[in-house]
Amino acid sequence: MAGAQLTGVTVQQAREKLISVLHDTMAKQFNKKIGGIVMKVVLLEDIKGSGKKGELINVSDGYARNYLFPRKLAKEANAQAMNELKNAEDAKAYKIKADTDAAKQTAEKIDGKNVKLFAKAGQGGRLFGSVTAKEIAEELKRQYKVDVDKRKIVIEGDIKAFGTYECEVKLYSGISAKLYAVVGEKEN
């Protein structure tokens, strides 16, 4: 019956065509059975041994459908997912640039400045308690209109006496400024 449908073709050509079709069909069936089909996915979480959140990776079809997708660890890398990934990377880069620019501006404003603080003291010029990073941050905001988180101010040792103390303000990774805390006696 098959021979009747092939006209104008030699037996050798018909044989080669039949082998080619059978080979393609068997290859597809073989790949489906052993999970040999590979698909691209975008990771939504860090996965040990596979990749980090936001990465585009190749995984087997079965691993994606049976493990990653049901646990919401990844999503298929279609056009929408790729666009979301690109937008997320662009937004992250923009935020980092904005944060570094703001940190540089703040560093320029406060670098080398003196922050005057006043505290009560007892005998011999020793303070009651000590001057903290929180107090320095408050005075920095009041005197220079610069809002800095108290956790970013690094003080060498404790400030328990009158004098001038050098402090470092770590504003961003690799961006810091030095300022001087000048502690004077509070007048009653």
Side-chain angles (χ1 to χ4, degrees), residues 1-187:
M1 184 89 91
Q5 293 176 2
L6 296 173
T7 55
V9 179
T10 66
V11 175
Q12 184 63 28
Q13 290 172 333
R15 182 176 176 271
E16 288 173 3
K17 180 68 175 168
L18 181 60
I19 290 173
S20 172
V21 169
L22 284 173
H23 183 266
D24 290 347
T25 305
M26 292 299 288
K28 287 179 185 174
Q29 290 298 322
F30 180 74
N31 283 339
K32 283 183 183 175
K33 286 180 184 172
I34 63 166
I37 297 174
V38 175
M39 69 185 321
K40 290 181 185 266
V41 296
V42 176
L43 296 179
L44 301 175
E45 303 278 330
D46 290 353
I47 299 173
K48 191 173 185 176
S50 294
K52 300 244 182 235
K53 179 179 178 178
E55 283 185 1
L56 177 70
I57 61 169
N58 291 324
V59 295
S60 71
D61 183 48
Y63 180 58
R65 297 198 189 286
N66 298 325
Y67 183 78
L68 297 176
F69 295 162
R71 289 172 177 78
K72 307 252 187 281
L73 298 173
K75 61 183 173 183
E76 191 170 358
N78 54 22
Q80 180 184 357
M82 295 302 294
N83 194 25
E84 288 173 5
L85 178 64
K86 183 181 179 301
N87 289 341
E89 288 173 354
D90 291 347
K92 186 177 179 182
Y94 177 78
K95 184 179 180 333
I96 289 171
K97 176 147 178 39
D99 289 349
T100 55
D101 290 346
K104 285 178 184 175
Q105 287 178 348
T106 304
E108 287 174 10
K109 283 183 186 177
I110 64 173
D111 196 32
K113 301 285 186 190
N114 291 332
V115 178
K116 295 178 181 79
L117 300 137
F118 298 98
K120 288 185 179 181
Q123 297 283 330
R126 302 257 319 145
L127 300 180
F128 293 126
S130 63
V131 176
T132 63
K134 180 182 177 187
E135 293 167 334
I136 294 172
E138 289 170 355
E139 284 299 314
L140 198 58
K141 185 172 185 176
R142 192 176 64 72
Q143 292 175 21
Y144 297 104
K145 311 280 189 278
V146 175
D147 196 13
V148 174
D149 187 4
K150 67 181 181 183
R151 293 173 291 208
K152 294 182 178 185
I153 298 175
V154 179
I155 305 169
E156 294 292 324
D158 292 333
I159 300 177
K160 293 190 175 195
F162 298 125
T164 303
Y165 298 88
E166 187 177 294
C167 304
E168 185 177 10
V169 183
K170 294 185 178 181
L171 298 164
Y172 200 77
S173 178
I175 302 171
S176 62
K178 288 198 186 308
L179 59 89
Y180 300 95
V182 180
V183 183
E185 187 169 1
K186 187 181 238 181
E187 296 177 10

